[in-house]
Amino acid sequence: MEIGTKKHVSEEILLKAFNHMMLAKAMADIYEENRNITKYVHSTSRGHEAIQLATAYQLTKDDWVSPYYRDESLLLGIGFEPFRLMLQLLAKADDPFSGGRSYYSHPSSREEDLPKIIQQSSATGMQAIPTTGIAQGIKYIQEFNLKTYDQNPVVVCSLGDNSVTEGEVAEAFQFAALHQLPVIFLVQDNEWGISVTKEEARTSDAYDYAAGFVGLNRMRVDGTDFIESFEAMKKAVDFVRSERKPMLVCAKTVLIGHHTSGVRREFYRDEDDLAKHRAKDPGKILRNRLIEDGILEDLLNKIEKNARTEAEHAFEKAIAAEDPKPETVTDHIFAPTPITEESGEREPKGQEKIVMVDAAIHAIQELMWKHPEALLYGQDVGERIGGVFREAVTLGKKFGNKRVFNTAIQEAYIIGSTVGMSAVGLKPIVEVQFADYIYPGINQLITEISKSNYLSNGKFPVSNIIRVPIGAYGGGGPYHSGSVESILANIKGIKIAYPSNAADFKGLLKAAYYDPNPVVMLEHKGLYWSKVPGTEDAKTIEPAEDYILPFGKSNILLEADKTETEKGRTMVIVTYGMGVYWAKEAAANFPGIVEIIDLRTLIPLDEKLVFERVKIHSKCLVLTEEQLNNSFAEAFAHRISKNCFRNLDAPVETLGSLNLPAVPINLILEKEMLPNAEKVSEKIKEMLSH
């Protein structure tokens, strides 16, 4: 797209921009002069001020913007004063973005009169998917008339040039172009990626790269020239606001400051390069233009002097501000959930038993009928087949392809887009086709989703449900049989459910929907249809629509005989998922001797009940399908040992799969690797002999 003939930019806007540029310069200078005080790593916007301010001035309170870590001028431009930015610079308690938890220029904001900002991370390019998810959500909201806006919202995703080489950025470009979303990808190209030059990093700039994404409009602009940048961004924003189509703006900028306060320009740049960049200082370019237009130099000098004074006063005030109190360090790991007690009818009279897969389908159907903000997407979940395990069958036909739809093979996008969808008030239910394929989405799950509530100081919990078919049976082989709960359980800030029967599945899924936090539902493929011998009990009476089962509540599936317990002859098996059925089959060989606890959720974990029962029985086996070494099961066994040590008659044991890199496809080898009832029986016999 061509920028077109230059139009007049008012003197008021030009002077406003000059003032903001001088503020940004004064702030950078002050930070550099006070390196002993500005001890936390930070970047400044020196060299990028023109394009950032030009962008900021176009945005309204209904718009969304995702700045990256060099976008301090953009934040000034949308209305954040130096003092408030400095509170984050110095990690103070009243830091408006993170409460002293995150780096400078890592904002998050829901302030009513300003553009909205989801939590921003440091991982380069990772904001592209969550921000595209915002645009996806806004399109959905407008299509279903769920909210009215003063004017069509625009979403801006700001990126450094080297971040565009990230694969996840390509996923965002692809989705935005395919679905024609109202998003602007603003790429600020200063030709450096820390010490990596453009020649070392890429074959083309973002403008040429974007040509491969059909439907993604493009524009180039000199990002050091405020007037050109202002006109370009006005045209870009107006286009997206009216046409509801995506745009990429490639803005050529310069890097005058350091990469960060810790990675300094003198480490890797020579004087010729620095001189070339300083020659394009946006503040100097705008100053010269204003003088050419008849603005008195005395006025500009006064503006620069006042900016320095304002920045100095703000810095002194920020230094004096209070630090966070130590006890706040554990605030906002999760947002409070309204679901704390089991409620509703679990076993309505006159109902037949249903399989687990139908429990999930019915739960989602009931939720989607009731809540128009709910939608389901992922690979192959649409009307054509309704999931490779038929776990979403009928939903596409009932709700249409705007509420239940297929995506490309983009696990990172599927998972990461839920950040933006949640931020605008939607409840995305998404699916990763097999647990083995969740790894491309782990980056988004850890970097963006799990940290969002904590680092935004409670402003942006990510409310989603991520469905993950999991587990081995029947020769699924090395890429369709894996267990991933230990990896997920190491991610702080997400919840994990692992139901073993239809009633639990439906109740937990309902709880997950009303929970404002991110939830991963691990759904064992072998239990979906109860086709695996011994899993008939995974079928249950279908609970009523109002049934909800809270997270963190284990279930005693089988109690030991109290008389045997009094004689010290009993033990407890703690397990979940398919382990429940191995344990039940094995326990039948030891009548009255074995108690079985089904954890039902792994995060939060019902440690209280487990510890109580282990202290009663004095022997405990933690049973899992996962490979044992360094697993969730081993970690939990350690905590049980520590908390129940004085009551144990034997070490807490674990049983799981052999420590192999993958599940073999051959059925004989698969059986040898996995636990089963026979192996559990042998372990019970061994433990009871103590």
Side-chain angles (χ1 to χ4, degrees):
M1 177 178 287
E2 296 297 326
I3 294 174
T5 306
K6 285 188 177 181
K7 298 177 182 178
H8 179 67
V9 180
S10 73
E11 181 178 301
E12 179 185 2
I13 290 174
L14 295 178
L15 289 173
K16 178 182 177 182
F18 184 74
N19 177 59
H20 275 136
M21 288 184 190
M22 294 305 101
L23 269 176
K25 179 180 182 300
M27 291 160 70
D29 291 344
I30 289 169
Y31 302 164
E32 189 68 11
E33 294 161 11
N34 293 272
R35 288 176 62 189
N36 62 322
I37 297 173
T38 56
K39 56 188 176 183
Y40 302 113
V41 174
H42 59 271
S43 295
T44 70
S45 57
R46 292 290 286 118
H48 291 240
E49 300 96 329
I51 188 63
Q52 291 181 19
L53 294 169
T55 302
Y57 296 166
Q58 315 301 324
L59 302 179
T60 72
K61 65 181 179 63
D62 286 332
D63 295 328
W64 291 76
V65 59
S66 286
Y68 84 118
Y69 56 79
R70 201 175 299 286
D71 276 349
E72 144 197 273
S73 285
L74 194 154
L75 294 172
L76 287 169
I78 64 174
F80 287 98
E81 305 87 351
F83 169 65
R84 300 182 77 198
L85 298 182
M86 291 172 184
L87 288 172
Q88 185 174 53
L89 173 82
L90 301 175
K92 296 294 187 175
D94 290 334
D95 155 26
F97 306 133
S98 71
R101 296 174 178 185
S102 200
Y103 311 93
Y104 185 55
S105 195
H106 285 58
S108 58
S109 176
R110 284 192 178 277
E111 295 192 20
E112 185 61 34
D113 57 341
L114 300 179
K116 309 303 179 282
I117 309 171
I118 55 174
Q119 195 279 132
Q120 298 299 306
S121 74
S122 291
T124 55
M126 294 305 99
Q127 73 272 34
I129 286 176
T131 310
T132 304
I134 296 172
Q136 179 188 349
I138 288 171
K139 182 176 181 179
Y140 180 92
I141 287 168
Q142 292 190 301
E143 284 178 333
F144 287 93
N145 297 312
L146 302 183
K147 181 180 178 180
T148 57
Y149 300 95
D150 293 341
Q151 56 182 321
N152 286 332
V154 167
V155 180
V156 175
C157 178
S158 180
L159 299 154
D161 50 299
N162 265 27
S163 69
V164 176
T165 58
E166 285 277 8
E168 293 181 30
V169 175
E171 290 193 22
F173 287 179
Q174 154 74 15
F175 199 95
L178 179 65
H179 292 272
Q180 291 293 279
L181 302 181
V183 59
I184 297 172
F185 298 103
L186 171 61
V187 180
Q188 300 178 56
D189 188 349
N190 63 29
E191 301 184 352
W192 282 101
I194 307 185
S195 68
V196 179
T197 65
K198 63 176 182 177
E199 290 79 13
E200 293 173 294
R202 62 191 196 226
T203 59
S204 65
D205 67 8
Y207 179 88
D208 289 333
Y209 176 63
F213 297 92
V214 177
L216 179 56
N217 300 279
R218 300 177 294 155
M219 179 187 293
R220 266 202 182 105
V221 61
D222 179 356
T224 65
D225 185 320
F226 175 77
I227 294 175
E228 182 177 328
S229 295
F230 184 88
E231 290 166 351
M233 291 311 299
K234 185 177 189 312
K235 187 162 188 174
V237 170
D238 288 349
F239 172 82
V240 175
R241 203 180 295 286
S242 60
E243 298 297 321
R244 317 308 284 153
K245 295 177 180 179
M247 169 75 75
L248 181 139
V249 177
C250 182
K252 298 295 183 180
T253 60
V254 291
L255 181 60
I256 295 174
H258 306 287
H259 168 70
T260 67
S261 57
V263 183
R264 304 180 65 74
R265 59 195 174 205
E266 58 265 23
F267 293 175
Y268 61 93
R269 298 174 68 187
D270 59 33
E271 279 303 314
D272 288 343
D273 177 71
L274 288 168
K276 181 182 76 172
H277 283 243
R278 287 171 183 144
K280 295 279 286 181
D281 185 330
K284 292 179 180 178
I285 292 172
L286 182 55
R287 172 187 278 271
N288 292 336
R289 179 61 182 268
L290 287 167
I291 291 172
E292 288 174 9
D293 289 349
I295 300 297
L296 294 177
E297 192 165 3
D298 284 349
L299 174 59
L300 301 180
N301 291 338
K302 183 178 180 181
I303 290 173
E304 185 171 4
K305 182 179 179 181
N306 289 344
R308 173 72 192 206
T309 301
E310 179 183 347
E312 286 175 347
H313 289 164
F315 190 63
E316 291 170 4
K317 187 179 176 184
I319 291 171
E322 290 187 3
D323 287 319
K325 290 180 168 45
E327 57 268 25
T328 65
V329 72
T330 56
D331 291 350
H332 306 301
I333 297 171
F334 290 112
T337 178
I339 308 301
T340 57
E341 299 293 334
E342 187 172 3
S343 62
E345 196 171 2
R346 183 178 172 96
E347 295 185 356
K349 294 179 180 178
Q351 296 293 316
E352 295 184 357
K353 289 185 176 182
I354 62 168
V355 293
M356 273 183 62
V357 74
D358 284 344
I361 293 168
H362 296 171
I364 293 172
Q365 176 178 288
E366 290 165 1
L367 289 165
M368 290 184 72
W369 283 130
K370 190 174 182 179
H371 301 285
E373 66 272 17
L375 69 163
L376 170 68
Y377 56 97
Q379 296 166 34
D380 297 303
V381 301
E383 181 179 350
R384 214 164 282 117
I385 66 170
V388 294
F389 300 102
R390 311 293 280 168
E391 71 281 1
V393 73
T394 75
L395 294 175
K397 187 174 183 179
K398 288 174 180 173
F399 295 101
N401 62 12
K402 289 183 179 179
R403 292 191 70 191
V404 179
F405 58 90
N406 294 327
T407 67
I409 303 172
Q410 294 184 326
E411 288 85 1
Y413 189 88
I414 292 166
I415 289 174
S417 60
T418 64
V419 176
M421 299 286 274
S422 170
V424 296
L426 301 178
K427 184 73 177 196
I429 304 169
V430 299
E431 181 177 313
V432 173
Q433 203 163 74
F434 291 90
D436 306 79
Y437 301 132
I438 198 172
Y439 302 114
I442 288 288
N443 199 353
Q444 288 290 322
L445 193 57
I446 295 175
T447 305
E448 307 300 326
I449 291 174
S450 72
K451 294 176 173 60
S452 182
N453 191 57
Y454 187 71
L455 292 182
S456 70
N457 217 19
K459 294 190 293 296
F460 285 102
V462 178
S463 186
N464 67 16
I465 300 173
I466 302 170
R467 299 185 65 188
V468 184
I470 192 172
Y473 79 101
Y479 291 99
H480 299 81
S481 307
S483 293
V484 297
E485 58 263 35
S486 290
I487 290 172
L488 296 175
N490 268 287
I491 303 172
K492 310 303 182 284
I494 65 171
K495 296 186 177 183
I496 303 170
Y498 203 145
S500 66
N501 61 71
D504 286 353
F505 197 173
K506 188 172 184 181
L508 289 170
L509 211 154
K510 290 290 182 76
Y513 185 86
Y514 295 109
D515 197 311
N517 299 287
V519 173
V520 178
M521 297 288 300
L522 297 177
E523 308 170 7
H524 201 291
K525 306 188 302 292
L527 300 179
Y528 268 152
W529 299 93
S530 289
K531 290 182 177 179
V532 176
T535 62
E536 185 68 21
D537 286 349
K539 298 178 184 177
T540 67
I541 298 295
E542 179 173 11
E545 182 175 347
D546 66 348
Y547 178 66
I548 298 180
L549 178 62
F551 278 48
K553 302 288 185 182
S554 295
N555 183 33
I556 301 175
L557 284 176
L558 178 67
E559 288 193 62
D561 186 281
K562 290 183 180 179
T563 303
E564 295 292 335
T565 301
E566 289 169 359
K567 295 176 182 178
R569 296 176 179 174
T570 57
M571 63 174 290
V572 60
I573 298 177
V574 178
T575 188
Y576 55 93
M578 187 63 80
V580 166
Y581 299 94
W582 297 325
K584 287 173 75 171
E585 187 177 343
N589 299 321
F590 304 88
I593 301 296
V594 177
E595 180 162 299
I596 300 172
I597 297 177
D598 181 359
L599 292 175
R600 303 201 285 204
T601 66
L602 307 186
I603 300 177
L605 186 58
D606 192 355
E607 294 183 345
K608 182 175 182 290
L609 176 68
V610 172
F611 296 161
E612 286 175 356
R613 303 310 295 177
V614 171
K615 288 175 181 178
I616 290 171
H617 296 287
S618 303
K619 298 183 184 72
C620 176
L621 171 66
V622 181
L623 173 61
T624 179
E625 184 173 321
E626 276 196 302
Q627 296 92 326
L628 271 183
N629 282 8
N630 308 311
S631 65
F632 164 82
E634 281 196 334
F636 192 30
H638 164 74
R639 294 206 296 282
I640 295 170
S641 295
K642 182 179 178 181
N643 283 273
C644 305
F645 179 73
R646 295 181 182 277
N647 302 87
L648 293 175
D649 290 339
V652 176
E653 297 276 2
T654 56
L655 179 63
S657 291
L658 300 180
N659 293 301
L660 306 178
V663 182
I665 195 169
N666 179 276
L667 287 170
I668 297 171
L669 298 177
E670 179 191 75
K671 181 180 178 182
E672 182 65 19
M673 178 188 181
L674 295 174
N676 56 35
E678 183 180 350
K679 294 177 183 179
V680 176
S681 292
E682 291 173 2
K683 179 61 76 171
I684 292 172
K685 185 177 180 180
E686 174 193 323
M687 293 182 67
L688 291 175
S689 68
H690 283 285

